[in-house]
Amino acid sequence: MSAFLAAAILVPIVVGSLLVLFRRLPRAARNTIAVLASATTLVLVVMLWFRAGSGSHALWQMGILRVLPSPLMVVDGVGLLLASVFAFVWLLATLYSTSYLKDHEFQDDYFGFLLVMLGAIVGLCFARNLLAMYLFWELAGIATWRLVAFYRSEKEIAAAQKALLITFAGSVLMLIGFAFVFVQHQTFSPGQLTGPTISPWAMFLILLGILTKSASVPMHIWVPDAQSAAPLSVGALLSGVVEKAGLIVYVRLFILSPIVLPDWWPLLIGGVGVVSSLLAAGGALQARDYKRVLAYSTISQLGYIFIGFAFVSSFGLAAGLAYIVAHCLAKAGLFMAMGVVERSTGQHRLAELSGLAKSMPVTAAATAVLMLSVIGFPPFLGFWAKLYVILAAVRGNLVIAIGALIAAVMTALYMIRLYRIFLGEPRPGVVGRESGLMTAIVVLLAAATVALGVILPFLGRFLEATTGVAGV
Amino acid sequence: MTPLLLVVLVPIAAGLFGWLIGRLRNEFSFIGAVLTLYFAVRLFISSRGSPAVFELVRFTGLNVSFRLDALSGFVLLFVAAFGVLVTLFSFRYMKSWTGVRGYFLYVMLALAGANGVLLAANLPTLLFFWGLLLVLLYGILLVGRTGAERAASKALVIVGLSDFAMLLGVALLLVKNGWVDLVPRAPMPLNDPLMITAFVLVAVGALAKAGSMPLHSWIPQASETSPATVMALIPASIDKLLGIYLLTRLSVSMFNIASNMALRNVLMAVGAVTILGGVIMALVQKRVTRLLSFHAVSQVGYMVLGIGTGTPIGIAGGLFHMLNNSIYKTGLFLSSGTVEHWTKTDEIDKLGGLARQMPLTFFSFLVCAMAIAGVPPLNGFVSKWMVYQGVVEIAREGNRLFPVFLVAAMLGSVLTLASFLKLLHAVFFGQRPAELSRVREGGFTMWLPTISLALLCIAFGVFAYWLPLRHLIYPSLPFDVDPIGIWQPELVTVLMFIALGVGAVIYLLGTARKPVAGRTFVGGERIADNEESRVTGTAFYSSVKNLPVLGDLLRFGEAGSFDLFNWVRGVLGGLGSALRVVLDETIDKAFGLLGRFVLVVGAGVSKLMTGMLPLYVSWVFFGAALFYLILVLR
């Protein structure tokens, strides 16, 4: 049992490190290894489902490091759900990258760090110990730094530095917060705290770290630069998966733990969430290239998830989790769709693109589906997620709920603005072209969004069981 | 499988098959539409009895379930019927358009979505299908001429805005009240501010769907780029039926609107403004479909006004007007589609004298136009008459505002008639431009739908009490409607026919011809193409534009000043940019300053690193001394 989990974490990390170290492999072999390694991870994570069963949390605990007085990892519904979705998207992104980046240098580096980051994310999904969390967290941060600077020009390196410095500052603050917890409770495991409260300072510092990684006001500023510098496949993973890392820690530490949150806490988190989502929606409305639109949109959507998590007593946790899954699939798909556009037209600026639906109808249709899911229209997955978040918010605080709805309308506005690149008359000289594998992956993600959106009501009981939080 | 599910699933399947197998697209669509009608008829018949409930799935306090009763049964029937007619009409009409493949898929899915909305037992289920319809609306509006995407985006934002308002309303109800059934055991009174807010929010969704002001602006814009069939199916029939269906449910079964006079006044005011605003804008239009689309907006006003009265007769009138409007408005859009299909234009100035070449289309257009103008004994008159009665009835409750609403409604009716006289004159009478001499009537797939709609207008007008009111409208409402004010359309019809017969006799006797004095037209002269010799349709009411206040308002309206979309976009864009500039850039600068500060401090500290050992040693001593001092002094 523990072997599966250890393998799911270690296989990608080890294979990835080897890829980075030994760069002489032929292209085909390297790509095959990378894809196989991420496929193996996915299979291992899925096998954990059958081993673990479902329906309760803290099913099974693993202690590799006996020196630490608490179990390091835990396999529970939340971890399994997120890890499976993330590994699935990761596999698709790896496949996608083999085609998307095939004309570029530094691919060994790229695929190596991609795998390392996958291992770190899977580890983070199941980590239960604060130090383990910190470890995986930093590993993902370093991989991000390398991946953002993939193109290695001045601008990209600057953006990567900015991302590294800010996220590192955030995680140091978080580490100080963890130290506070340890001093107070003599443990790094949220499950073994000696009392139900931790000091507000610790909470505040940890929150700052979480906000940095999960790109929320006021620690969000690395995201637009990093994501417009990174290749779109990295952008897909950053906004679909990596920026959810903070949320995972939030769930483990503040929701699925015995810590009693102070009264003002939901309002603070909800406030951060609503300000984030409004501000970033404004940024997305004004951004001039599609990479930045999507980057700001990610910040905005992360704000939404925080709103869901803020009012956790009712629908909150299910809302946030559904939103994480919906956003992961849809936003990764959107980034990859833009990758198809980028590769055939070489353009990033919205003003230069128009009428692409005529030359790339499949991508246009898939993009429409993904876009509508992000906006939150049925029958796509995003609808249920948004419905749950609004329900949670109305229960919590009406002002925040109204702010969230305004952000939703702004989402519709900027997504439509983005979609203009497909509509209207084609611009002479700018012709899109579908690209077999890449388009197929975008379509697959769109299909997943539709399929999950249609069957989600039937998964409702399952969600309740996984989260272990009672409904109304 | 129960027909409740089939009526939703069959059109989806038909649409998907038609989309995949393009060669059989028409066949699949038609079979799908007819099967849907078959199931709708079965459901309609079974809805005469007690309501049927079907629960699909239940979780976390929500449940997805269907419910069928008299009201949803009859609306379902008409949605399916319009589906069949529009599909039939589309076969020929859509041949000249691109994007036909997606079009038929969207039409079929829209039928499924509409059926889902009508069958939804609670608000979350309804919201699901409601949003689905919006997505389909976006898709179907993209099928069209250049510029269609602007209309589609506008529709998505405006209707999306109202959808989110609805979502908030539903969430409020769910959270504060614990139920969201569309038909609870007893209607709620509307006196708690929270309930009123929820009502208003959900009503916003209903009004936006119906196309009431100020949420109407996408309809005229879409009419310029979209096929007439899209206008006939979505804004003219399905949207009206669903929007007013929801408003009725909301005001009659969920809440008791009669219990709140202020809210009724607000609804009636919305109705009155919509009636007048829509019809005045229609007067100055230059294109047939755009003109019709403003009437589609204007007519909603009567329904909202009727339901807003809160009186049984008014609500019944509003509901009946919804039915009538969807019949004649679909007929009008389809007839104008026929004209446009054969003449290749819908600009009023380029049309004329088509009555002789297209007699069937002319007949259906004439009947539908008279029906919308409220000319007795057609159906539009009956329902408007009921709405008037509802307005008069609120006077009994001491409402001082009733004359305003009554005058608005009647004035609207007069202006509608004026507008349609202009249109009839410009399209079917007057001079025929030379290039239209070869225009003829289309095949039966085009005239059959329009003629059947026109005949329905006559039937529902002449036998208003015996057919629609008795079997469709009254059973749908939970209260008895006082039928005293119903007029006798049968008698009037007989009288009118007698009068017509007398008139015909006099005409045939030929003694009443009045000589016309003027220059003799001997042939060969050119007719000057100026306003004196040929009154074009658009110039018909040009005097309206020269009125002082009204003219300005019209100019503003045409320029988009009253367009909610522009307002929303402006306000939210401004909010977004303000937030971004204030927060985003400030934070970014702060981080930059922090970096600068670290660099400056680092540079200062590095100045101390001179590489001279004595200096370092002295620093160490200095530090040790400091520590010592601190420890000792404590």
Side-chain angles (χ1 to χ4, degrees), chain A residues 340-418:
Chain A
V340 183
V341 171
E342 182 201 52
R343 234 180 80 114
S344 51
T345 65
Q347 273 294 349
H348 292 137
R349 292 171 57 81
L350 294 176
E352 304 293 326
L353 293 165
S354 159
L356 289 174
K358 293 228 167 63
S359 47
M360 37 202 319
V362 181
T363 308
T367 308
V369 168
L370 296 163
M371 178 185 97
L372 291 166
S373 178
V374 173
I375 301 176
F377 287 135
F380 310 113
L381 187 52
F383 167 73
W384 299 105
K386 198 151 276 184
L387 177 67
Y388 267 32
V389 169
I390 299 289
L391 287 179
V394 168
R395 253 175 209 221
N397 184 313
L398 204 54
V399 176
I400 288 178
I402 291 169
L405 280 169
I406 294 175
V409 178
M410 289 167 85
T411 309
L413 278 173
Y414 69 69
M415 280 296 173
I416 288 171
R417 186 166 164 267
L418 175 65

Side-chain angles (χ1 to χ4, degrees), chain B residues 356-611:
Chain B
R356 186 160 296 176
Q357 277 144 305
M358 313 177 90
L360 294 171
T361 308
F362 168 61
F363 169 74
S364 51
F365 198 93
L366 178 70
V367 171
C368 292
M370 291 301 115
I372 194 175
V375 173
L378 296 168
N379 58 355
F381 173 76
V382 185
S383 47
K384 275 184 191 172
W385 181 247
M386 288 167 74
V387 172
Y388 297 160
Q389 285 189 330
V391 176
V392 172
E393 204 133 296
I394 62 169
R396 284 197 210 158
E397 298 175 37
N399 191 323
R400 297 264 179 83
L401 287 171
F402 89 95
V404 180
F405 300 134
L406 200 60
V407 167
M410 291 185 161
L411 187 60
S413 211
V414 172
L415 290 177
T416 307
L417 182 61
S419 165
F420 273 96
L421 284 179
K422 150 193 160 177
L423 197 59
L424 279 168
H425 163 82
V427 176
F428 291 102
F429 301 118
Q431 267 191 8
R432 188 179 66 221
E435 60 268 24
L436 298 183
S437 56
R438 300 176 61 122
V439 168
R440 62 198 161 79
E441 195 71 65
F444 85 98
T445 59
M446 289 180 93
W447 60 253
L448 187 65
T450 53
I451 289 289
S452 24
L453 288 167
L455 292 178
L456 209 56
C457 281
I458 297 175
F460 277 15
V462 175
F463 305 107
Y465 181 69
W466 298 108
L467 279 175
L469 286 176
R470 188 188 225 178
H471 293 287
L472 304 176
I473 307 295
Y474 292 163
S476 314
L477 296 170
F479 39 69
D480 289 327
V481 181
D482 185 13
I484 293 170
I486 296 293
W487 76 316
Q488 301 287 321
E490 300 87 349
L491 178 65
V492 175
T493 312
V494 172
L495 289 177
M496 279 181 71
F497 271 109
I498 293 172
L500 280 176
V502 172
V505 169
I506 294 172
Y507 177 77
L508 287 176
L509 286 177
T511 52
R513 285 195 187 142
K514 186 182 167 195
V516 178
R519 204 154 55 82
T520 317
F521 186 83
V522 289
E525 296 107 319
R526 284 192 62 141
I527 299 163
D529 198 12
N530 57 26
E531 288 203 1
E532 281 77 37
S533 54
R534 177 174 179 241
V535 180
T536 60
T538 48
F540 219 79
Y541 296 113
S542 58
S543 52
V544 178
K545 277 187 179 165
N546 301 330
L547 294 175
V549 179
L550 200 59
D552 288 338
L553 287 179
L554 278 172
R555 270 187 289 281
F556 281 135
E558 282 293 279
S561 305
F562 301 128
D563 190 341
L564 187 76
F565 175 71
N566 296 341
W567 286 79
V568 167
R569 205 172 47 179
V571 168
L572 289 187
L575 176 72
S577 78
L579 271 172
R580 203 183 71 86
V581 170
V582 170
L583 271 176
D584 205 42
E585 290 184 1
T586 316
I587 294 169
D588 205 27
K589 291 235 171 66
F591 271 89
L593 277 179
L594 197 66
R596 190 82 47 86
F597 175 71
V598 170
L599 284 181
V600 168
V601 170
V605 171
S606 72
K607 292 243 168 67
L608 300 174
M609 306 293 143
T610 53

Side-chain angles (χ1 to χ4, degrees), chain A residues 354-362 364 421-426 431-434, chain B residues 98 144 146 149:
Chain A
S354 159
L356 289 174
K358 293 228 167 63
S359 47
M360 37 202 319
V362 181
I421 66 172
F422 289 108
L423 303 176
E425 287 303 306
V431 182
R433 193 163 44 79
E434 301 286 5
Chain B
T98 51
T146 315
E149 71 273 5

Side-chain angles (χ1 to χ4, degrees), chain B residues 166-421:
Chain B
M166 235 169 113
L167 185 62
L168 186 62
V170 173
L172 273 180
L173 282 174
L174 192 70
V175 165
K176 303 291 176 192
N177 229 359
W179 57 259
V180 276
D181 277 353
L182 278 168
V183 187
R185 268 183 225 99
M188 293 276 299
L190 271 168
N191 37 27
D192 174 13
L194 208 91
M195 286 296 114
I196 294 177
T197 316
F199 175 88
V200 170
L201 286 170
V202 181
V204 164
L207 291 177
K209 175 81 40 182
S212 163
M213 282 187 176
L215 300 154
H216 67 286
S217 62
W218 65 272
I219 299 177
Q221 187 162 358
S223 73
E224 295 187 358
T225 53
S226 288
T229 48
V230 170
M231 299 307 288
L233 187 67
I234 308 278
S237 51
I238 287 187
D239 273 6
K240 294 283 174 292
L241 289 171
L242 297 189
I244 298 303
Y245 163 80
L246 180 60
L247 193 64
T248 312
R249 277 272 194 249
L250 201 62
S251 326
V252 175
S253 13
M254 281 187 77
F255 296 100
N256 185 4
I257 185 143
S259 64
N260 190 326
M261 187 48 103
L263 214 52
R264 284 159 64 186
N265 277 336
V266 170
L267 262 187
M268 285 190 282
V270 168
V273 169
T274 305
I275 293 174
L276 283 180
V279 77
I280 290 172
M281 289 303 287
L283 280 178
V284 296
Q285 296 308 318
K286 295 181 175 157
R287 298 180 57 172
V288 180
T289 42
R290 193 170 155 90
L291 186 150
L292 290 179
S293 71
F294 272 110
H295 282 294
V297 173
S298 167
Q299 293 296 309
V300 182
Y302 286 101
M303 310 168 204
V304 177
L305 180 63
I307 293 173
T309 60
T311 55
I313 183 88
I315 293 175
L319 204 58
F320 190 29
H321 199 67
M322 161 198 91
L323 182 59
N324 293 335
N325 173 69
S326 57
I327 296 170
Y328 54 65
K329 191 48 65 61
T330 307
L332 285 171
F333 270 116
L334 291 184
S335 314
S336 79
T338 313
V339 170
E340 184 223 314
H341 183 74
W342 296 107
T343 60
K344 306 291 174 212
T345 180
D346 74 333
E347 283 178 45
I348 295 175
D349 282 348
K350 293 188 181 162
L351 295 167
L354 292 173
R356 186 160 296 176
Q357 277 144 305
M358 313 177 90
L360 294 171
T361 308
F362 168 61
F363 169 74
S364 51
F365 198 93
L366 178 70
V367 171
C368 292
M370 291 301 115
I372 194 175
V375 173
L378 296 168
N379 58 355
F381 173 76
V382 185
S383 47
K384 275 184 191 172
W385 181 247
M386 288 167 74
V387 172
Y388 297 160
Q389 285 189 330
V391 176
V392 172
E393 204 133 296
I394 62 169
R396 284 197 210 158
E397 298 175 37
N399 191 323
R400 297 264 179 83
L401 287 171
F402 89 95
V404 180
F405 300 134
L406 200 60
V407 167
M410 291 185 161
L411 187 60
S413 211
V414 172
L415 290 177
T416 307
L417 182 61
S419 165
F420 273 96
L421 284 179

Side-chain angles (χ1 to χ4, degrees), chain A residues 162-438:
Chain A
K162 188 176 181 185
L164 181 71
L165 285 174
I166 292 175
T167 50
F168 185 69
S171 51
V172 166
L173 294 179
M174 190 173 75
L175 192 61
I176 299 174
F178 288 171
F180 268 107
V181 174
F182 186 79
V183 167
Q184 197 182 352
H185 295 285
Q186 314 305 319
T187 177
F188 277 117
S189 172
Q192 295 181 336
L193 300 179
T194 51
T197 53
I198 55 178
S199 78
W201 280 107
M203 291 178 77
F204 192 64
L205 288 169
I206 295 172
L207 182 65
L208 271 183
I210 287 170
L211 294 182
T212 313
K213 198 68 155 191
S214 284
S216 296
V217 173
M219 309 297 279
H220 65 284
I221 46 153
W222 62 277
V223 171
D225 287 340
Q227 293 203 339
S228 51
L232 281 158
S233 52
V234 174
L237 291 176
L238 277 183
S239 81
V241 179
V242 179
E243 284 160 20
K244 309 290 193 302
L247 295 165
I248 299 173
V249 171
Y250 186 91
V251 171
R252 289 267 175 243
L253 205 57
F254 294 126
I255 297 178
L256 296 179
S257 81
I259 294 175
V260 175
L261 300 170
D263 292 338
W264 44 268
W265 188 256
L267 221 55
L268 172 70
I269 303 294
V272 166
V274 83
V275 172
S276 252
S277 56
L278 283 173
L279 174 146
L285 268 175
Q286 294 188 323
R288 296 210 178 86
D289 71 72
Y290 51 70
K291 281 181 161 182
R292 276 187 106 80
V293 172
L294 291 180
Y296 273 114
S297 155
T298 303
I299 302 175
S300 177
Q301 302 297 313
L302 287 167
Y304 248 88
I305 304 176
F306 273 114
I307 296 174
F309 283 157
F311 306 108
V312 82
S313 56
S314 52
F315 288 101
L317 181 57
L321 287 178
Y323 215 110
I324 289 180
V325 173
H327 181 249
C328 174
L329 295 172
K331 193 51 73 62
L334 278 178
F335 267 99
M336 294 192 204
M338 290 305 117
V340 183
V341 171
E342 182 201 52
R343 234 180 80 114
S344 51
T345 65
Q347 273 294 349
H348 292 137
R349 292 171 57 81
L350 294 176
E352 304 293 326
L353 293 165
S354 159
L356 289 174
K358 293 228 167 63
S359 47
M360 37 202 319
V362 181
T363 308
T367 308
V369 168
L370 296 163
M371 178 185 97
L372 291 166
S373 178
V374 173
I375 301 176
F377 287 135
F380 310 113
L381 187 52
F383 167 73
W384 299 105
K386 198 151 276 184
L387 177 67
Y388 267 32
V389 169
I390 299 289
L391 287 179
V394 168
R395 253 175 209 221
N397 184 313
L398 204 54
V399 176
I400 288 178
I402 291 169
L405 280 169
I406 294 175
V409 178
M410 289 167 85
T411 309
L413 278 173
Y414 69 69
M415 280 296 173
I416 288 171
R417 186 166 164 267
L418 175 65
Y419 202 67
R420 291 251 173 90
I421 66 172
F422 289 108
L423 303 176
E425 287 303 306
R427 200 169 280 264
V430 183
V431 182
R433 193 163 44 79
E434 301 286 5
S435 133
L437 177 68
M438 290 158 68

Side-chain angles (χ1 to χ4, degrees), chain A residues 22-23 57-58 75 119 121 126 147 219 254 284 308 312 353 361 448 464:
Chain A
F22 303 101
R23 302 177 170 216
H57 40 116
V75 176
I121 291 297
F126 297 110
L147 289 171
M219 309 297 279
F254 294 126
V312 82
L353 293 165
E464 279 173 81

